[in-house]
Amino acid sequence: MKNSLDNPIPAHWPPDFVARMTQWLGDEADAFFTALARRDYGLRLNPQRGPLATLKAQLPWAVEPIPWCPEGVWLQEAAEIGADVYHTAGVFYSQDPSAMAAAVLLDPQPGEWVLDIAAAPGGKTTHIAARMQGRGVLVANEVVRRRVAVLAMNIERMGVTNAMIVNETPERLAARWPGLFDAVLVDAPCSGEGTFSRDSQAIRDWSLATVQGNAHRQRTIMEQAAALVRHGGRLLYGTCTFAPEEDEGVIAAFLAQHPDFELADLPPLPGLSPGRPEWIDAPDDLRRVGRFWPHTGPGHGHFYALLRRKGEPSDDLPERWEGQRLPGRVLRLYQKTLGDILREAPPEAGLTLAKDDTLYITPMAPHLWEGLHILRPGWWVASLRHDKVSPDHALAMALRPEEVQSSVRLTRDDARLAPYLSGGFWLDDHQDGFVLVTVAGFPLGWAKSDGDKVRSRYPVHLRR
Ligand code: SAM
């Protein structure tokens, strides 16, 4: 809905937002509003599912590359991305192209300890996980309880094996884990101006007062996040808003109060523009932060600032946990059941029994996380019920067909896809036991064969 044919600004956008962006952007304002109102669709490919070029060639849509993110592509045409079976199989994550720069700028390395303090629904966390290649420790935290389940679904769908899913306040994390992380991401709750084309609630909520309120909350979160970073470690702050009070303003206030942190230069990614400290009379040095704009590339815009904690990390930092904590009887059941399903011996380093019925591979020693609100202390590999171990969906989503004894390989147009994804069955004289169901070789989950029928074990909460 536009004001008129030649006015690019939708009529329901907040007048104060339009007025100040018009004043600040001057000649660029029209191009900005036109691009912000447009919908485009980003997909981030999952390198765990195969080489990027191969995955790209298998997509059913024509796509363009995203200049700053090798895993990213985008479509100009609307498409049913979220309903596609490759989405179900974790081949890609639907994500705004400018949001894909977060993991590129944070640059997490395999083996590091990384915290995403505001992680739901999981776009940036699953990107960070892909870059960590299953090594090191990733903590995906989300304070809002009802948002944690979708975070877990996305982490499992993308086949992540080194993440803990936590539902805590930044304050409790900072009190428990001071200086523990090589890298911390604060993808802050914000006024979401960059989401105006797809989020009508963000439009309704926007006011000059909510911008100020967000800036206050962001400063509080950054205060806690700072305590969690190791000496020598990185802290990346990001928002999907253009409001300088929530962007350069938060970083200027942070730097003024934290002489132990310094602003780091961002790599010169294509599409990344300097900060705009002059909009709020912030120090000129704040030009070294970065802004992605909707009118200078794909995506709806993002703000990023990379900070480094001064000093050297201390020597007594914990290692990833390789221990094991479960009764010998359960371990033997686990080894036997998963040994019959997998081609190699099932993973044991980090194996933990939680709540007497759930087996996880946890990357962090239990004494470090016990007492916190944890949804998943790691990769959920199996469940224990009535003295029987069965493999979990999250295990299936991190496997390739060549890693299991038995698989059913479906194609994209296979008639068995519908019964599989709705929890049904089909007739088949497949050998007894658990089988990995795949589409075009990508994992979908487990089924169980009794010799006559193959029954779907696709989780009830995911069924279509
Ligand atoms: N990083 C996510 C992604 O890429 O999918 C998006 C995060 S979203 C921009 C911000 C998140 O911060 C929301 O999930 C929200 O629930 C959470 N949040 C809200 N208030 C918060 C607070 N006081 N402290 C920490 N997180 C908060």
Side-chain angles (χ1 to χ4, degrees), residues 93 95 99 116-125 141-144 147 168 170 185 187-190 217 221 240:
Y93 193 103
Q95 188 176 28
D116 183 350
I117 210 166
K124 297 179 180 85
T125 269
N141 180 66
E142 170 56 48
V143 70
V144 178
R147 290 172 61 85
E168 273 298 351
L185 172 64
D187 187 28
C190 69
R217 178 166 59 167
I221 298 171
C240 58

Side-chain angles (χ1 to χ4, degrees), residues 4-17:
S4 72
L5 282 179
D6 52 4
N7 184 351
I9 305 168
H12 60 298
W13 283 9
D16 282 343
F17 163 72

Side-chain angles (χ1 to χ4, degrees), residues 32 36 68 95-103 105 118 123-124 185-190 192-195 198 236-243 246-248 266 269 271-276 279 289-305:
F32 165 75
L36 188 60
W68 51 86
Q95 188 176 28
D96 184 88
S98 48
M100 294 179 199
L105 295 171
K124 297 179 180 85
L185 172 64
V186 176
D187 187 28
C190 69
E193 293 167 358
T195 68
R198 59 178 191 277
L236 183 72
Y237 175 78
T239 74
C240 58
T241 199
F242 311 102
E246 301 180 51
D247 293 341
E248 288 85 353
L266 297 173
L269 297 182
L272 193 59
S273 311
R276 305 303 292 261
W279 289 356
V289 300
R291 282 173 170 267
F292 284 91
W293 290 101
H295 55 298
T296 58
H300 288 111
H302 229 287
F303 171 89
Y304 294 105

Side-chain angles (χ1 to χ4, degrees), residues 320-332:
R320 182 182 161 128
W321 191 56
E322 301 283 334
Q324 203 190 73
R325 203 184 58 170
L326 71 176
R329 179 184 58 82
V330 179
L331 178 63
R332 284 189 294 279

Side-chain angles (χ1 to χ4, degrees), residues 191-361:
S191 56
E193 293 167 358
T195 68
F196 275 7
S197 71
R198 59 178 191 277
D199 186 353
S200 50
Q201 189 62 45
I203 297 171
R204 283 194 294 277
D205 288 347
W206 194 97
S207 70
L208 292 170
T210 53
V211 166
Q212 294 299 345
N214 277 314
H216 177 75
R217 178 166 59 167
Q218 290 149 352
R219 288 202 292 268
T220 312
I221 298 171
M222 282 294 279
E223 207 50 46
Q224 307 305 327
L228 288 148
V229 182
R230 265 174 205 179
H231 289 285
R234 322 179 302 275
L235 172 58
L236 183 72
Y237 175 78
T239 74
C240 58
T241 199
F242 311 102
E245 300 87 340
E246 301 180 51
D247 293 341
E248 288 85 353
V250 169
I251 299 304
F254 179 87
L255 286 167
Q257 278 159 16
H258 289 272
D260 54 330
F261 277 82
E262 61 195 359
L263 200 54
D265 283 319
L266 297 173
L269 297 182
L272 193 59
S273 311
R276 305 303 292 261
E278 66 277 15
W279 289 356
I280 47 165
D281 283 335
D284 206 41
D285 195 39
L286 267 294
R287 285 182 60 76
R288 290 163 58 216
V289 300
R291 282 173 170 267
F292 284 91
W293 290 101
H295 55 298
T296 58
H300 288 111
H302 229 287
F303 171 89
Y304 294 105
L306 184 62
L307 301 148
R308 200 170 297 282
R309 189 165 188 188
K310 296 175 189 167
E312 293 295 318
S314 64
D315 294 334
D316 55 352
L317 295 169
E319 296 286 323
R320 182 182 161 128
W321 191 56
E322 301 283 334
Q324 203 190 73
R325 203 184 58 170
L326 71 176
R329 179 184 58 82
V330 179
L331 178 63
R332 284 189 294 279
L333 277 173
Y334 169 82
Q335 288 167 331
K336 168 80 181 82
T337 310
L338 267 66
D340 288 345
I341 296 170
L342 304 176
R343 289 198 175 195
E344 305 250 312
E348 286 180 24
L351 199 55
T352 303
L353 180 65
K355 296 186 188 140
D356 292 335
D357 62 2
T358 319
L359 282 94
Y360 291 97
I361 300 288

